[in-house]
């Protein structure tokens, strides 16, 4: 990987590899993002790659229950949610190529074999698959993601899964290279009433990693409480890692503290030394980041947000929505208190089948200061979402509908204001004559993966004086990320506008509706795009900021908001 860079007369990109052991879900993504933040604070330019060893070519067809949300990039890539962590923490813009999957690698190898690129040789995992992995990493790491022209100094690579997974073996083989700093994330549990921090799981994990040919330079130990000295000594002795290179990522009030933990333990010094980057790096500058983390801890008031969805049993299904609510709430000096409401529990049928859940869901909804309906697919829970939108409309409760949530508001208005009892989406009822939401004509009806309207698209304001335009700072248009197959039927737009639902934003054609607002309501907005994907800690998404301001009754501030950098065009 270094040869190409040397031929171009530049220093080769260095690599930080993050692996995980013992159990999944330890926070490798947050660790990788935090390592990137600390290195960036030292003046180094950073890019990221996420390796997912599954055979899917991308995350587009995967269930939110199994894998969490599908994160969408500017170029339309449907990728793992960890790329969202990278973008939020590092404020970079990644591409679909920054997410490598086994499916992508094998697809590329097979295409080359079919073209005869291997000159008749037997195609094997070693060297053909492993060489493809190396070439992919080298190619992606050379693409700047921070708006500059030269390649990054460091590429942080997160290897998904845990050490020993059979799917990871080709990647492990390919990643035994120079210019690497390997950080192994492992668990140090406390078992039972003994209260002793157990190092044996990490010892076994490191032993297995070494057996595969990889030697960790640093250990990042996850634990509930800070590691005691004797645990660190034992880990150092049995894992052959210097004590100063054993990092402890213990539980913290919010994840913005993780880069500060790494900084305080001098992780940057160990990584920079390992990568021989001392000449390029300075001391870490994290004053703004520290202020952000501490400001959240010091917030004393909270705002209750009812999130009405169909995947509420797994919060990662709505990870970017949750983060966007966090960014907006902190910007408004509030702590977000998300009230998870299963849409199915709001339905009339639930009153008979699960009366307790039904009563609790409605109590939660009515006790919240605002209501948000995020994106989703399928007809489960739709009736409950329609009831939630109706409640928000009739009771003047601030409402934000995203993608499906916007379509729900159109269906609800059509049924209960226009009197179209058969109003529905073609997604849920293909035979209805009241097709107020319809299949987009240009998308495939037979293939699911990568067939939607995806990525960053331009939305033009039809009515410049609308509330949404003010939230964005009054630009003529905004660029936001999309992920949808269905759109509002333009035939019904005049009827709906006459009833008070104003379509204030559209695409470049003028026919595809992108933003709706309800007249005579304090805050009732629906957007076809997904503004959560471009929200950043210091650049909260304008629609989310508006929702929180409306929920906390800061209407004067709301109508003067001009922090529309997130998603707004120049």
């Amino acid at each position: 990987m270094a040869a190409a860079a040397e031929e171009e007369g530049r220093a080769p990109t260095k690599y930080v590899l993050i692996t995980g052991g013992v159990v999944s879900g330890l926070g490798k993504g947050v660790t990788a993002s935090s390592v990137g933040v600390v290195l960036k604070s030292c003046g180094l330019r950073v890019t990221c790659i996420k390796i997912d060893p599954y055979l899917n070519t991308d995350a587009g067809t995967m269930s939110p229950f199994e894998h969490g949300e599908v994160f969408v990039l500017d170029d339309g890539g449907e990728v793992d949610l960890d790329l969202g962590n990278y973008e939020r923490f590092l404020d970079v813009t990644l591409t679909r190529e920054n997410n490598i999957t086994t499916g992508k690698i094998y697809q590329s190898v097979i295409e080359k074999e079919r073209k005869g690129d291997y000159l008749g040789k037997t195609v094997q995992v070693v060297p053909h698959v492993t060489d493809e992995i190396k070439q992919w990493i080298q190619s992606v790491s050379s693409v700047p993601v921070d708006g500059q022209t030269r390649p990054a100094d460091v590429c942080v690579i997160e290897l998904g899964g845990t050490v020993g997974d059979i799917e990871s073996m080709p990647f492990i083989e390919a990643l035994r290279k120079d210019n690497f700093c390997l950080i192994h994330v492992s668990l140090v549990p406390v078992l039972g009433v003994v209260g002793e921090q157990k190092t044996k799981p990490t010892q076994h994990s490191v032993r297995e990693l070494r057996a595969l040919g990889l030697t960790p330079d640093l250990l990042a130990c996850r634990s509930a409480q800070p590691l005691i000295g004797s645990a660190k000594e034992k880990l150092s002795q049995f894992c052959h890692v210097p004590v100063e290179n054993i990092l402890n990522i213990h539980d913290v009030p919010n994840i913005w503290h993780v880069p500060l933990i790494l900084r305080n333990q001098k992780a940057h010094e160990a990584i920079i030394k390992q990568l021989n980057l001392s000449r390029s790096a300075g001391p870490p500058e994290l004053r703004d980041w520290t202020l952000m983390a501490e400001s959240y801890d010091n917030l004393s008031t909270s705002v209750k947000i009812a999130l009405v969805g169909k995947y509420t049993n797994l919060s990662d299904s709505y990870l970017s929505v949750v983060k966007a609510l966090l960014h907006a709430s902190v910007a408004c000096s509030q702590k977000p208190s998300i009230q998870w409401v299963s849409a199915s529990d709001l339905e009339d049928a639930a009153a008979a089948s699960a009366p307790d859940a039904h009563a609790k869901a409605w109590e939660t909804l009515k006790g919240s200061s605002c209501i948000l309906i995020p994106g989703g697919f399928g007809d489960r829970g739709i009736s409950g979402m329609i009831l939630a939108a109706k409640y928000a409309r009739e009771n003047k409760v601030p409402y934000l509908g995203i993608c499906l949530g916007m379509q729900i508001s159109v269906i609800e208005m059509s049924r209960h204001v226009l009197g179209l009892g058969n109003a529905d989406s073609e997604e849920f009822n293909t035979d209805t004559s009241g097709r107020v939401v319809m299949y987009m004509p240009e998308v495939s009806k037979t293939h699911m993966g990568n067939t939607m309207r995806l990525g960053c698209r331009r939305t033009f304001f039809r009515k410049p004086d609308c509330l949404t335009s003010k939230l964005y700072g009054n630009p003529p248009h905004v660029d936001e990320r999309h992920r949808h197959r269905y759109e509002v039927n333009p035939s019904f737009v005049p009827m709906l506008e006459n009833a008070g639902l104003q379509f204030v934003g559209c695409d470049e054609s003028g026919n595809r509706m992108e933003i709706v607002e309800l007249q005579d309501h304090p805050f009732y907005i629906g957007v076809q795009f997904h503004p959560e994907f471009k929200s950043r800690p210091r650049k909260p998404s304008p629609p989310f900021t508006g929702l929180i301001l409306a929920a906390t009754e800061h209407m004067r501030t709301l109508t003067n908001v001009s922090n529309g950098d997130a998603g707004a065009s120049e």
Side-chain angles (χ1 to χ4, degrees), residues 350-469:
S353 60
D356 291 344
H358 178 75
K360 183 178 180 181
W362 275 104
E363 181 185 356
T364 301
L365 187 77
K366 293 179 178 180
S368 299
S369 300
C370 58
I371 297 171
L372 187 151
I373 298 182
F377 297 93
D379 60 0
R380 185 176 61 82
I382 294 302
S383 296
M385 294 181 187
I386 291 172
L387 289 171
K390 182 174 184 285
Y391 175 82
R393 176 178 60 82
E394 293 180 341
N395 293 277
K396 308 292 186 184
V397 177
Y399 173 89
L400 176 61
I402 298 172
C403 196
L404 174 62
M406 169 184 160
Q407 296 169 8
I408 289 293
S409 64
V410 170
I411 296 170
E412 191 279 319
M413 280 284 290
S414 300
R415 289 184 184 180
H416 301 122
V417 178
L418 295 180
L420 300 176
N422 62 347
D424 215 333
S425 168
E426 191 175 5
E427 180 180 8
F428 318 131
N429 186 351
T430 57
D431 300 324
T432 181
S433 58
R435 194 177 53 150
V436 296
V437 176
M438 67 181 197
Y439 218 107
M440 288 189 297
E442 71 267 31
V443 302
S444 172
K445 293 188 178 183
T446 57
H447 287 68
M448 301 296 288
N450 199 33
T451 58
M452 291 182 276
R453 184 168 178 255
L454 292 163
C456 191
R457 306 295 181 105
R458 183 153 288 180
T459 296
F460 294 85
F461 288 107
R462 300 172 76 208
K463 301 181 180 181
D465 61 340
C466 67
L467 178 56
T468 308
S469 175

Side-chain angles (χ1 to χ4, degrees), residues 461-500:
F461 288 107
R462 300 172 76 208
K463 301 181 180 181
D465 61 340
C466 67
L467 178 56
T468 308
S469 175
K470 292 177 182 178
L471 289 170
Y472 277 96
N474 300 304
H477 49 71
V478 294
D479 297 321
E480 292 281 13
R481 297 175 183 178
H482 292 68
R483 185 178 187 248
H484 63 113
R485 284 192 182 88
Y486 301 88
E487 64 178 344
V488 175
N489 189 336
S491 301
F492 288 87
V493 167
M495 296 172 61
L496 286 161
E497 290 206 309
N498 288 336

Side-chain angles (χ1 to χ4, degrees), residues 496-529:
L496 286 161
E497 290 206 309
N498 288 336
L501 193 64
Q502 300 300 304
F503 291 86
V504 300
C506 62
D507 73 346
E508 66 279 358
S509 72
N511 293 320
R512 179 167 287 144
M513 297 299 114
E514 293 274 342
I515 309 173
V516 298
E517 293 182 5
L518 183 62
Q519 288 180 334
D520 302 321
H521 193 288
F523 187 95
Y524 191 101
I525 291 176
V527 293
Q528 185 60 73
F529 46 79

